[in-house]
Amino acid sequence: MADGTPFVRVLADFAAALRTAGLPVGSGDVLAYATAMSTLDPTDLVDLYWAGRTTLVTRRDSLAPYDRVFKHFFLNASSPVRDMLTLRAQLTAETQAVLDVPATDPPPPGDEGNPEEATLGLMASDAEALRHKSFAACTPEELARLRRIMARIRLAPPRRRSRRTRSAPAGTAPDLRRMVRESLRLHGDPAMLSWRRRKVRQRPLILILDVSGSMADYSRSLLQFAYSAQRAAGQGGPAGPARVEVFCFGTRLTRITRALDRRRPDDALQRATEAVVDWEGGTRIGASLDRFVRDWGRRGLCRGGIVVVCSDGLDRGDPDLLATAMERLRRLSHRIVWLNPHAGGPGGALGMAVAAPHIDLILPGHDLSSLEELATLLPALR
């Protein structure tokens, strides 16, 4: 917080308003609220809401009074707190459900509507427009807002059946060891049938990002996307944690998976940019992919995995080398996805024409909506 003391007083006043409404909020809860907001953005309405709901609400029946007091305290036109906040758009399903974001259609004649709902409606409209705005046309403030939304995207690679098996209520093969142990426990009496079924694992996800000069307007946003994907994969899921590997290339290939393994995104991106020595330089897609196949692909890194290449296809290298590398990569991997921020533009890159026969899916990758489309289509790549 740039100016912590005045805002701590605001949080304390909000807690006092909750106590007046009948919520059991103590001084320890207020301290936890202020501590949570010290690591968040105090000018963000969503951070204020969820930090308060997490630290100040302890019972389910307190949710409705909390929502009512929050709207009155932070969105009331006569409240002095309103002048201290810059409401920033955050497009998430949770905030739309809790804060009840309305449609932005004009109200019928004679009905002025609720000013709070109008404010939230404008926020949702701004966020929707930002999702379809190209990264190259965004201001630094808009890119910061996009990074906050991008952190909530979850990439779920498609699953595959492993050759290993596990015990299950139903399956295709009997669990002989378990049946024998159960029979011995029953002194030789026949036991109930037990079954085994094949385990399910998520396929590896490999992100190969072009950080050359022609991708300068998109490389940092795509790198943030890769960081979010790697952080989300570490949380695991029903099929276990997914393996995510991240590489960058300009004129040479650099593995940045370990550099991105940091809790703070700014630290991770800083270490990644320091590790890549050819940032915003030339482009040799064929040589970089060939190096990936020789040094990493043949070792089994992308075997059965999903390879996502983010590049505009502007290659200064040998087209034959690119064609050979793509052909080998196609044989090693399960599916190849190509994100081209310049897709649909005038003309076409030679690299894209060479690589196209080996690509399973081509997406734009120039804005947030295209990255969300990738997250939606990824689990369906069987």
Side-chain angles (χ1 to χ4, degrees):
M1 285 182 198
D3 190 5
T5 304
F7 204 86
V8 170
R9 189 178 302 112
V10 170
L11 300 182
D13 293 341
F14 174 56
L18 291 175
R19 282 194 294 269
T20 304
L23 272 71
V25 178
S27 57
D29 300 326
V30 179
L31 181 61
Y33 189 20
T35 303
M37 287 307 305
S38 65
T39 60
L40 300 174
D41 186 359
T43 64
D44 192 327
L45 182 67
V46 177
D47 285 351
L48 284 170
Y49 176 85
W50 283 109
R53 176 168 169 171
T54 303
T55 57
L56 304 178
V57 179
T58 57
R59 296 184 301 179
R60 182 178 296 273
D61 55 2
S62 299
L63 292 178
Y66 174 81
D67 293 344
R68 184 174 61 255
V69 174
F70 183 88
K71 287 184 178 182
H72 178 76
F73 190 84
F74 288 104
L75 293 175
N76 188 17
S78 61
S79 174
V81 182
R82 186 182 180 89
D83 299 332
M84 301 178 61
L85 299 176
T86 302
L87 301 181
R88 297 183 179 180
Q90 299 290 332
L91 188 66
T92 60
E94 294 85 0
T95 54
Q96 289 180 352
V98 174
L99 296 179
D100 229 10
V101 177
T104 56
D105 296 336
D111 184 7
E112 298 298 331
N114 191 338
E116 297 177 4
E117 294 182 353
T119 301
L120 293 174
L122 291 175
M123 291 170 57
S125 299
D126 292 341
E128 183 65 22
L130 194 60
R131 291 175 61 250
H132 298 278
K133 189 173 183 178
S134 175
F135 296 136
C138 290
T139 63
E141 292 77 12
E142 291 174 335
L143 289 176
R145 292 163 57 186
L146 284 174
R147 285 195 295 268
R148 296 176 65 85
I149 304 176
M150 199 179 298
R152 297 179 171 91
I153 298 179
R154 295 293 182 263
L155 290 184
R159 303 176 183 180
R160 64 175 181 86
R161 290 196 303 168
S162 171
R163 294 188 179 183
R164 296 181 178 271
T165 60
R166 63 176 179 86
S167 299
T172 57
D175 190 346
L176 298 180
R177 290 186 177 182
R178 186 175 181 181
M179 293 171 60
V180 169
R181 287 196 303 266
E182 187 68 16
S183 178
L184 292 176
R185 190 179 68 86
L186 298 175
H187 303 287
D189 292 339
M192 296 181 61
L193 288 177
S194 300
W195 302 95
R196 298 188 68 85
R197 66 188 307 173
R198 295 171 65 177
K199 294 181 179 180
V200 177
R201 291 286 184 266
Q202 287 188 335
R203 295 185 179 274
L205 180 64
I206 300 93
L207 302 175
I208 305 178
L209 312 180
D210 185 348
V211 295
S212 61
S214 60
M215 290 283 292
D217 294 331
Y218 309 96
S219 54
R220 286 192 174 272
S221 298
L222 294 175
L223 193 61
Q224 171 68 37
F225 179 70
Y227 168 79
S228 301
Q230 184 175 349
R231 293 289 296 179
Q235 299 176 2
R243 181 179 182 181
V244 177
E245 292 284 343
V246 186
F247 294 83
C248 286
F249 72 89
T251 57
R252 66 184 71 180
L253 185 71
T254 306
R255 181 174 179 260
I256 60 171
T257 303
R258 293 184 178 178
L260 292 179
D261 189 15
R262 295 294 182 273
R263 184 172 183 178
R264 293 177 56 87
D266 292 339
D267 296 341
L269 299 183
Q270 179 64 28
R271 289 178 62 90
T273 54
E274 292 174 357
V276 180
V277 298
D278 53 347
W279 192 279
E280 296 186 4
T283 312
R284 295 188 179 275
I285 305 177
S288 300
L289 293 182
D290 181 70
R291 177 59 59 185
F292 171 78
V293 171
R294 293 178 181 274
D295 293 350
W296 300 96
R298 289 179 176 177
R299 298 179 183 178
L301 179 65
C302 62
R303 183 176 301 163
I306 308 297
V307 179
V308 180
V309 182
C310 306
S311 176
D312 54 6
L314 298 176
D315 188 16
R316 298 183 179 179
D318 185 5
D320 294 335
L321 181 60
L322 175 59
T324 303
M326 287 296 299
E327 183 181 357
R328 292 175 177 173
L329 183 61
R330 183 68 186 88
R331 291 200 299 263
L332 292 173
S333 61
H334 179 68
R335 292 287 186 269
I336 297 179
V337 181
W338 196 292
L339 297 181
N340 183 4
H342 297 160
L350 177 60
M352 286 301 304
V354 173
H358 310 284
I359 300 175
D360 297 288
L361 178 63
I362 299 179
L363 295 174
H366 67 291
D367 57 7
L368 181 61
S369 63
S370 61
L371 298 182
E372 292 176 337
E373 183 181 1
L374 171 64
T376 302
L377 296 178
L378 198 59
L381 294 178
R382 302 298 183 183

